[in-house]
Amino acid sequence: MYPGCPPAVPGTYTAAQQSGAGMNEDVKILVVDDDPDVLDMVADFLALNAFCVATARNGAQARSAMADSPAQLVLIDRRMPGEDGLSLARHIRENYPAGIIMLTAADGVVDCVLGLEIGADDYITKPFDLRELCARVRSVLRRISSAAAAIGAGRVRFGRCVLDLGSHRMFDESGAEVPVTAMEFDLLQMFSRQPNRVLSRDAILNGLHHRDAGPFDRSIDLHVARLRKKIEPDAEKPQTLKTVRGAGYIFVPERGT
């Protein structure tokens, strides 16, 4: 238990009771893990850092907590008895605008890929440094905060869609909204600021996650592939988000935009 933190009660949001902690009561984090030691350690550390934190030990508790009081960010252990982390993450992605960070085993490269494919914003492998986890949490929260990330009311065309930078929303040619995750929005926003410029995977990861790509890090490739299915008329022959072999990706705006 960290000094100044009340015990984390499943389904109940708690935070550090220290003067000047700067708690933001509008930001809630749900931590889901079947290991009580990991659950308490993460919840206590986040509460110490002035986050409102709730805990759940399985998918059922997590679903109930989200239904009662939706969190802005959910940390999910990949492997839990009963409903696994991927199924829970899919449920949250389909029903809530929350950010998702997957907690995976050190050898869980496949788990990381699967998590990103269903819409997780980031992942971290166990065992992890709590300070790094906190940094990842803050990074994802920044991305899902419209007020913090909006850079104006401008709109940028990406293929058959238009990205509204002010509202964090994307629309197709008929005006219907096309859902985008916080990570996808941030990636498109980065491309919009640097059109016709090749961005390497390292540069993208460093800009979004503040870390370099590892030899098996496919997160950017997966996010780009998912975006192409949304914005390109033919995702197999992309014309807007193009691959530059051996270099990275480039955003090619339509002429006149």
Side-chain angles (χ1 to χ4, degrees), residues 82-105:
E83 182 178 22
D84 68 12
L86 292 178
S87 174
L88 177 61
R90 184 178 294 107
H91 168 77
I92 291 173
R93 174 56 64 227
E94 292 174 350
N95 292 278
Y96 303 96
I100 299 173
I101 297 178
M102 301 298 299
L103 309 177
T104 69

Side-chain angles (χ1 to χ4, degrees), residues 3 13 24 27-28 43 46 57 80 88 94 97 127 131 138 147-148 152 162 181 186 199 208 239 241-242 256-257:
Y13 289 96
N24 184 349
V27 178
K28 298 176 180 178
L46 290 175
R57 295 187 177 181
M80 297 183 292
L88 177 61
E94 292 174 350
R131 292 168 298 180
R138 294 183 187 281
V162 173
T181 68
D186 229 36
L199 300 179
L208 298 181
Q239 299 300 310
L241 293 182
K242 294 186 175 182
T257 64

Side-chain angles (χ1 to χ4, degrees), residues 100-114:
I100 299 173
I101 297 178
M102 301 298 299
L103 309 177
T104 69
D107 60 350
V109 174
V110 174
D111 291 341
C112 298
V113 172
L114 291 173

Side-chain angles (χ1 to χ4, degrees), residues 48-65:
L48 182 65
N49 280 271
F51 291 107
C52 288
V53 186
T55 62
R57 295 187 177 181
N58 53 53
Q61 287 185 3
R63 286 177 180 244
S64 178

Side-chain angles (χ1 to χ4, degrees), residues 138-185:
R138 294 183 187 281
S139 178
V140 173
L141 285 173
R142 283 195 297 268
R143 292 203 299 271
I144 65 177
S145 172
S146 298
I151 61 173
R155 291 189 164 205
V156 181
R157 173 167 290 280
F158 281 90
R160 59 184 180 182
C161 295
V162 173
L163 184 72
D164 189 308
L165 297 171
S167 67
H168 268 214
R169 301 167 74 190
M170 188 163 72
F171 305 89
D172 65 17
E173 294 172 321
S174 70
E177 184 172 357
V178 178
V180 289
T181 68
M183 177 64 174
E184 289 170 347
F185 174 86

